[in-house]
Amino acid sequence: MTEKSAESTRERLVKAAAELLAEGGRDAVSTRAVSAAAGVQAPTLYRLFGDKDGLLEAVAAHAFAEYLTGKAALGESADPIEDLRRGWDLHVQFGLSHPAFYLLMYGDTRAGSSGAGKESEARLHRIVQRIAEAGLLRVSVSRGADLVHATGKGVVLTLIAKPEDQRDLELSTAAREHVISSITTGGQAVGDTDVPARAAGLAAALRRDPAGALSPAEQALLVEWLDRIADA
């Protein structure tokens, strides 16, 4: 099998597995069913992915890539907090529209370790970093991003677990605004006594533009201290 044909076969298998997952959930994705749907022999699947888990990791990476395409289409505005809102809404919409994919992407810790999974995490960190650079973050970038991710994931999983006619979609809006109010200054300028917010802003600025007067080790230590102050 040539490299090109192997890639084509790989794509067919991933597409077949994705379709089976969307139609019947994880239990529908057996190696036999995927091989039959893709028109290949089972040994080929094992040679390309190792086992079913390897195939599912590839499907999760495929789903993350589709999700990131939607994220990229949002672009960036001059208001990072509004960008965070739009990103949150897209995340929830994706999860409710593709519940089987979402459960695979966020219910399996290995799925998030793919390149696309890491890029998804990096995009969230970049938005929160921009909020910090604007002087509007009251916690560290790491904590802010983790709070947004954990809350958003919890909302989607909670909604997915309910029958569609029993889902309270206002839960997403309420949770979104709650977490934004928890990690930001509410759009107000940082006051002289708001030490955590000032620390978060300075840490973000140093990550973006390292201080030439400090060695890399000194800067890393300073940023660590600032993050501690921001999260105090």
Side-chain angles (χ1 to χ4, degrees):
M1 183 181 293
T2 66
E3 183 177 343
K4 184 175 181 179
S5 63
E7 185 61 27
S8 175
T9 301
R10 179 185 176 88
E11 291 175 359
R12 293 208 325 269
L13 284 164
V14 169
K15 181 180 179 181
E19 291 175 351
L20 288 169
L21 180 69
E23 293 170 1
R26 188 166 185 150
D27 290 342
V29 187
S30 67
T31 54
R32 177 178 295 179
V34 173
S35 298
V40 302
Q41 298 297 315
T44 301
L45 185 153
Y46 289 114
R47 183 167 63 253
L48 291 172
F49 300 100
D51 54 20
K52 178 181 174 179
D53 288 339
L55 174 61
L56 287 173
E57 287 181 32
V59 173
H62 170 79
F64 268 118
E66 181 178 337
Y67 170 68
L68 288 174
T69 298
K71 281 277 190 177
L74 290 178
E76 290 185 358
S77 73
D79 185 344
I81 294 179
E82 188 58 31
D83 287 348
L84 180 59
R85 285 191 175 96
R86 293 190 299 134
W88 173 290
D89 291 345
L90 184 143
H91 180 90
V92 173
Q93 181 183 20
F94 180 89
L96 296 182
S97 299
H98 306 86
F101 282 158
Y102 193 89
L103 290 171
L104 179 62
M105 293 160 65
Y106 292 101
D108 188 335
T109 56
R110 291 173 300 179
S113 64
S114 69
K118 291 178 180 178
E119 173 59 20
S120 175
E121 181 180 336
R123 281 179 178 270
L124 174 57
H125 272 260
R126 283 199 292 272
I127 293 178
V128 179
Q129 169 83 5
R130 289 174 55 222
I131 294 174
E133 291 171 0
L136 301 175
L137 193 69
R138 65 171 69 254
V139 297
S140 68
V141 171
S142 178
R143 176 168 292 184
D146 284 348
L147 281 168
V148 172
H149 174 72
T151 307
K153 176 180 174 181
V155 165
V156 177
L157 292 176
T158 297
L159 292 175
I160 285 176
K162 294 179 178 292
E164 287 191 42
D165 61 351
Q166 295 180 24
R167 292 174 181 170
D168 176 12
L169 299 182
E170 289 302 313
L171 174 67
S172 175
T173 302
R176 183 193 69 199
E177 294 308 308
H178 177 74
V179 75
I180 287 176
S181 68
S182 297
I183 69 173
T184 72
T185 63
Q188 302 299 316
V190 177
D192 291 339
T193 59
D194 196 341
V195 176
R198 286 187 173 277
L202 180 55
L206 287 171
R207 287 191 178 94
R208 182 190 60 201
D209 300 311
L214 299 177
S215 70
E218 290 171 333
Q219 172 154 306
L221 183 59
L222 177 56
V223 169
E224 179 184 346
W225 287 343
L226 290 168
D227 281 343
R228 288 186 188 180
I229 293 171
D231 291 336

